[in-house]
């Protein structure tokens, strides 16, 4: 367990003390290091001794025994703690390992990860096996505990059973409950969810909200029920509302909500000049959004917007560690802390030239250190390729719904009345309506309708990357849709795009049909190509990757396509049920 991992055993603790007694060499000595001391809010020069994964001394002295030490001259560098991502969705086509490895190169050495995919698609034993394996990598990985599926599941009471949720809450690597997307159910009287929240608080863990557009009264009610933080403030006034109700506030900069620059401008205009209650997050953006960096980019924005230097770094380090009660391990450079350290060339450039993660060099002099992150046998964790042992036929291609789904932007969908004849196998490219299907990954049911606003030219697109793990099929040409599905079946899951019978692009997702197993830099290239082609074929909004993930997400308005059928989010009822095949 992670907590045990950092309750260093007695023998190891004696070794730490032995370094100060001059009986044992540190593994690394950072000599003449100018580091950010967040207690004094000053840059201080010191020698920093590290033994394996722990800082054992910060001060003026040099150790007596150095015969087995790597001594690093830090005179021309500035040292800050490793950055922390408090709100990661590690299954956005990438996987938790590739995300951690890639973001370490930009100084993010600790991530607090969403567990939704693990809870929904793996049994508890396999999920915990993966979490145990992730403890052995140089990055530090923590997790959430979801209370709901964020969609409508036929077997939700089994997936999110009391036993399962309680075991997740009690896991040492889990820091918080949430994010709380089903808060309307809570306010409507869901006592089981309230019990889980109370159990989370009993374990002295945090609860994160998800309250876009919430009123002052709603924020107050959720604070009374136990929520500690929220990341959904979109304007400065909403930041202030959360602060006044006692929340910790995550300031977001993501692919569909790049709000941070505006938020900083507006909170400064409101006279807010205290930053201790702020954290920075990228909110689990797709890989292409991280091409130029990760949390370091958010610190850079904060600096450019006039946030004091110490506060800009604190929002990505010590503020988060204190919030999660982890300041004894993370968020600062001090004796006893985990040796997560970023080496900078200047205060104004938060992208590190070198990075230590758990006392291991993962980046050195501007280059990634190869071979540091291990490989994972994904099959041991239950993350096998999709096995689709059923066929799709033209009998499944029946689209007789009276209304369809209209995209208002990348993630908001509304119902609209279907007025055209959809009895043929093709739709005209003179409009932006497509055939649209959600298929059970086991082939048991289907939902058919039309989708407006996604494309006017896609022949067929098949995707097993969805919010609920089922299969999306859409396009203008039913023949192309069938070919896209069959190709998806052949590669064991992924995203396939076909036009006029020809594959334009495919992205293999061999981990349960939801995640790639390639390095994130390679995924960035592939994902950018995929998005470019989708946009060339008529997608006009910011992010089609989020669109695919959120078609089934019932924490967003107004109409969603779920396992139960077409679902009216506001009225909480199924408009048209799924059809058994």
């Amino acid at each position: 367990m992670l907590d045990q991992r950092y309750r260093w055993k007695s023998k190891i603790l004696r070794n730490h003390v032995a370094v100060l007694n001059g009986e044992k060499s540190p593994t690394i000595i950072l000599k003449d290091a100018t580091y950010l001391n967040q207690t004094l809010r000053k840059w201080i020069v010191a020698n920093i001794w590290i033994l394996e994964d722990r800082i054992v001394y910060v001060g003026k002295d040099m150790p007596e025994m150095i015969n087995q030490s790597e001594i690093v001259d830090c005179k021309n560098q500035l040292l800050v703690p490793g950055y922390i991502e408090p709100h990661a969705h590690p299954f956005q086509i990438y996987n938790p390992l590739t995300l951690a490895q890639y973001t370490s190169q930009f100084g993010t050495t600790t991530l607090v990860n969403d567990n939704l995919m693990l809870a929904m698609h793996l049994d508890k034993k396999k999920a915990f096996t993966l979490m145990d394996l992730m403890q052995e990598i140089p990055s530090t990985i923590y997790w959430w505990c979801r209370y709901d599926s964020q969609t409508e599941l036929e077997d939700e009471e089994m997936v999110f059973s009391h036993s399962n949720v309680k075991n997740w809450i009690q896991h040492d690597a889990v820091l918080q409950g949430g994010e709380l997307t089903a808060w309307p159910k809570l306010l409507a009287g869901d006592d089981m969810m309230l019990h889980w929240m109370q159990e989370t608080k009993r374990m002295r863990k945090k609860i994160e909200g998800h309250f876009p557009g919430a009123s002052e009264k709603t924020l107050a009610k959720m604070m009374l029920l136990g929520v500690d933080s929220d990341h959904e403030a979109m304007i400065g006034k909403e930041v202030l509302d959360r602060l006044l109700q006692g929340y910790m506030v995550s300031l977001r900069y993501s692919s569909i909500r790049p709000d941070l620059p505006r938020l900083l401008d507006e909170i400064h205009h409101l006279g807010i000049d205290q930053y201790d209650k702020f954290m920075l997050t990228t909110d689990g953006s797709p890989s292409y959004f991280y091409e130029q960096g990760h949390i370091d980019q958010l610190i850079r924005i904060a600096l450019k917007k006039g946030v004091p230097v110490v506060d800009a770094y604190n929002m990505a380090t010590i503020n988060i560690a204190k919030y999660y009660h982890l300041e004894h391990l993370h968020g600062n450079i001090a004796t006893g802390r985990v040796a997560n350290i970023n080496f900078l060339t200047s205060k104004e450039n938060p992208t590190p030239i070198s990075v230590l993660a758990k006392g291991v060099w993962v980046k050195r002099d501007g280059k990634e250190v190869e071979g540091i992150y291990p490989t994972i046998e994904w099959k041991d964790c239950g993350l096998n390729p999709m096995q689709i042992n059923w066929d799709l036929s033209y009998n499944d291609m029946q689209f007789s719904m009276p209304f369809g789904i209209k995209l208002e932007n990348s993630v908001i969908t509304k119902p609209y009345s279907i007025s055209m004849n959809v009895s043929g196998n093709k739709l005209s490219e003179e409009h932006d309506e497509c055939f649209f299907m959600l298929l059970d990954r086991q082939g048991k049911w289907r939902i058919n309708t039309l989708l407006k606003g996604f494309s006017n030219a896609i022949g067929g697109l098949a995707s097993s990357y969805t919010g609920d793990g089922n299969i999306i099929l859409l396009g203008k040409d039913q023949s192309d849709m069938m070919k896209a599905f069959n190709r998806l079946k052949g590669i064991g899951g992924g995203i396939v795009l076909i036009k006029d019978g020809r594959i334009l692009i495919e992205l293999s997702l061999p981990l349960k049909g939801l995640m790639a197993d390639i390095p994130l830099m390679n995924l960035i290239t592939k994902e950018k190509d995929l998005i470019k082609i989708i946009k060339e074929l008529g997608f006009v909004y910011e992010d089609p990757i989020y669109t695919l993930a959120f078609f089934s997400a019932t924490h967003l308005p107004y109409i969603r396509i779920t396992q139960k059928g077409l679902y009216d989010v506001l009225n909480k009822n199924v408009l048209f049920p799924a059809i058994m095949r």
Side-chain angles (χ1 to χ4, degrees):
M1 294 296 185
L2 197 60
D3 196 34
Q4 294 171 347
R5 170 73 176 85
Y6 284 131
R7 271 191 235 117
W8 289 276
K9 293 180 180 179
S10 296
K11 181 179 179 180
I12 296 174
L13 291 173
R14 296 297 183 190
N15 286 337
H16 296 163
V17 175
V19 174
L20 275 79
N21 289 338
E23 300 164 358
K24 187 176 181 66
S25 294
T27 47
I28 298 175
I29 302 167
L30 305 177
K31 189 172 181 292
D32 295 327
T34 301
Y35 77 99
L36 178 58
N37 184 299
Q38 290 147 315
T39 300
L40 301 178
R41 295 179 59 86
K42 292 181 179 180
W43 299 85
I44 293 177
V45 178
N47 298 314
I48 301 169
W49 310 356
I50 297 169
L51 181 63
E52 297 175 346
D53 61 347
R54 195 181 195 194
I55 299 171
V56 297
Y57 174 80
V58 179
K60 296 182 292 183
D61 294 341
M62 285 289 287
E64 295 178 31
M65 186 177 289
I66 61 173
N67 59 313
Q68 295 180 342
S69 302
E70 175 189 1
I71 301 176
V72 182
D73 186 349
C74 298
K75 281 183 179 177
N76 296 318
Q77 299 179 73
L78 299 171
L79 278 59
V80 296
Y83 308 140
I84 303 171
E85 168 58 88
H87 187 100
H89 296 279
F91 310 108
Q92 301 283 54
I93 298 185
Y94 43 72
N95 65 66
L97 177 62
T98 54
L99 176 66
Q101 180 172 358
Y102 178 80
T103 56
S104 73
Q105 300 303 296
F106 299 97
T108 302
T109 54
T110 301
L111 299 103
V112 186
N113 283 342
D114 185 3
N115 77 319
L116 183 60
M117 198 286 290
L118 300 185
M120 287 180 62
H121 300 293
L122 297 181
D123 65 62
K124 186 172 55 183
K125 183 177 179 181
K126 294 291 187 183
F128 289 178
T129 296
L130 175 59
M131 292 162 66
D132 289 342
L133 291 172
M134 291 298 293
Q135 293 172 21
E136 302 305 316
I137 71 173
S139 299
T140 302
I141 308 298
Y142 296 106
W143 298 87
W144 316 349
C145 170
R146 290 274 194 161
Y147 304 134
D148 69 279
S149 65
Q150 200 170 279
T151 186
E152 292 296 306
L153 297 181
E154 289 290 348
D155 57 350
E156 176 133 0
E157 68 282 353
M158 295 178 62
V159 176
F160 291 89
S161 68
H162 177 60
S163 174
N164 280 346
V165 173
K166 190 172 181 179
N167 285 150
W168 273 96
I169 292 169
Q170 293 175 345
H171 196 287
D172 288 336
V174 171
L175 296 185
Q176 70 172 25
E179 59 182 297
L180 194 61
T181 54
W183 59 269
K185 291 182 180 179
L186 177 67
L187 290 183
D190 189 328
D191 282 337
M192 181 57 74
M193 188 176 297
L194 183 56
H195 173 75
W196 292 335
M197 292 172 66
Q198 290 175 311
E199 181 67 11
T200 305
K201 304 302 282 190
R202 187 183 71 81
M203 296 291 295
R204 293 178 173 81
K205 298 181 180 184
K206 297 295 186 178
I207 298 174
E208 183 177 12
H210 180 97
F211 308 141
S215 68
E216 182 184 47
K217 288 288 180 64
T218 295
L219 293 171
K221 292 174 186 177
M222 299 312 300
M223 175 59 67
L224 291 174
L225 294 176
V227 180
D228 300 288
S229 69
D230 184 66
H231 61 281
E232 287 289 338
M234 301 177 195
I235 59 174
K237 174 62 166 56
E238 292 179 344
V239 173
L240 180 60
D241 288 343
R242 284 154 174 77
L243 292 175
L244 292 176
Q245 295 303 321
Y247 285 85
M248 192 78 175
V249 180
S250 292
L251 304 179
R252 178 170 52 183
Y253 188 70
S254 71
S255 61
I256 58 172
R257 296 297 325 179
D259 295 327
L260 182 60
R262 182 179 69 179
L263 286 175
L264 290 172
D265 285 341
E266 292 183 2
I267 65 176
H268 291 158
H269 181 73
L270 290 168
I272 298 172
D273 58 3
Q274 299 297 312
Y275 303 89
D276 292 349
K277 289 293 185 179
F278 292 143
M279 304 184 285
L280 299 177
T281 181
T282 65
D283 196 9
S285 294
S287 63
Y288 71 86
F289 189 73
Y290 298 141
E291 186 171 16
Q292 302 303 320
H294 193 240
I295 296 296
D296 58 315
Q297 292 289 68
L298 280 63
I299 298 171
R300 181 173 286 107
I301 291 170
L303 291 170
K304 289 180 179 178
K305 288 296 180 179
V307 175
V309 171
V310 174
D311 290 305
Y313 285 99
N314 283 359
M315 290 192 291
T317 56
I318 192 63
N319 289 7
I320 304 169
K322 286 182 176 179
Y323 170 72
Y324 285 116
H325 307 304
L326 291 173
E327 64 267 32
H328 62 297
L329 295 175
H330 302 296
N332 57 88
I333 297 173
T335 300
R337 276 56 175 184
V338 179
N340 296 334
I341 301 175
N342 291 335
F343 297 72
L344 312 180
T345 56
S346 73
K347 299 173 186 177
E348 294 73 32
N349 183 8
T351 304
I353 191 169
S354 299
V355 178
L356 279 173
K358 292 180 184 171
V360 175
W361 295 106
V362 296
K363 184 179 184 180
R364 196 77 185 268
D365 299 328
K367 295 182 180 179
E368 181 175 1
V369 181
E370 301 292 338
I372 301 301
Y373 281 77
T375 58
I376 287 179
E377 291 296 328
W378 297 110
K379 292 181 181 179
D380 294 343
C381 307
L383 292 171
N384 303 301
M386 287 183 73
Q387 298 292 323
I388 303 176
N389 54 12
W390 50 277
D391 297 320
L392 191 68
S393 73
Y394 281 103
N395 289 331
D396 292 305
M397 301 283 185
Q398 299 176 28
F399 299 87
S400 56
M401 285 279 191
F403 64 85
I405 298 174
K406 179 183 178 183
L407 272 180
E408 293 291 314
N409 56 37
S410 289
V411 298
I412 302 300
T413 50
K414 289 184 176 181
Y416 82 101
S417 296
I418 297 173
S419 58
M420 69 176 65
N421 184 348
V422 294
S423 59
N425 293 334
K426 287 188 177 183
L427 294 176
S428 168
E429 295 187 2
E430 294 181 359
H431 57 75
D432 63 356
E433 292 169 78
C434 295
F435 298 116
F436 187 41
M437 302 176 69
L438 183 69
L439 296 158
D440 173 42
R441 64 190 289 134
Q442 305 299 330
K444 296 178 181 178
W445 50 260
R446 62 175 171 83
I447 305 164
N448 297 35
T449 185
L450 292 191
L451 174 65
K452 182 175 177 59
F454 191 90
S455 170
N456 61 356
I458 285 178
L461 184 150
S463 176
S464 59
Y465 173 73
T466 60
D468 62 0
N470 293 302
I471 299 169
I472 282 173
L473 196 57
L474 64 87
K476 293 283 189 177
D477 186 332
Q478 294 180 12
S479 175
D480 282 348
M481 293 167 66
M482 290 282 290
K483 289 175 180 176
F485 171 80
N486 288 329
R487 181 58 183 167
L488 179 79
K489 180 177 176 179
I491 63 175
I495 302 174
V496 179
L497 203 159
I498 287 182
K499 174 77 171 176
D500 298 327
R502 181 172 64 89
I503 296 175
L504 297 184
I505 192 168
E506 65 180 40
L507 175 57
S508 175
L509 302 178
L511 306 185
K512 212 75 171 179
L514 298 167
M515 296 175 287
D517 62 354
I518 58 177
L520 203 134
M521 183 55 77
N522 296 348
L523 179 61
I524 287 172
T525 300
K526 192 76 173 179
E527 198 174 89
K528 287 172 66 178
D529 290 342
L530 173 65
I531 292 171
K532 180 175 181 290
I533 292 172
I534 292 176
K535 288 190 172 184
E536 287 174 349
L537 294 174
F539 188 87
V540 299
Y541 302 113
E542 297 91 348
D543 196 334
I545 304 300
Y546 261 115
T547 303
L548 294 174
F550 281 173
F551 275 129
S552 61
T554 53
H555 67 294
L556 295 166
Y558 291 88
I559 184 172
R560 298 287 147 178
I561 190 165
T562 75
Q563 293 183 17
K564 292 184 177 180
L566 283 182
Y567 185 77
D568 182 339
V569 175
L570 297 183
N571 294 309
K572 299 178 177 56
N573 66 317
V574 176
L575 301 174
F576 288 93
I579 297 172
M580 302 306 292
R581 299 181 67 248

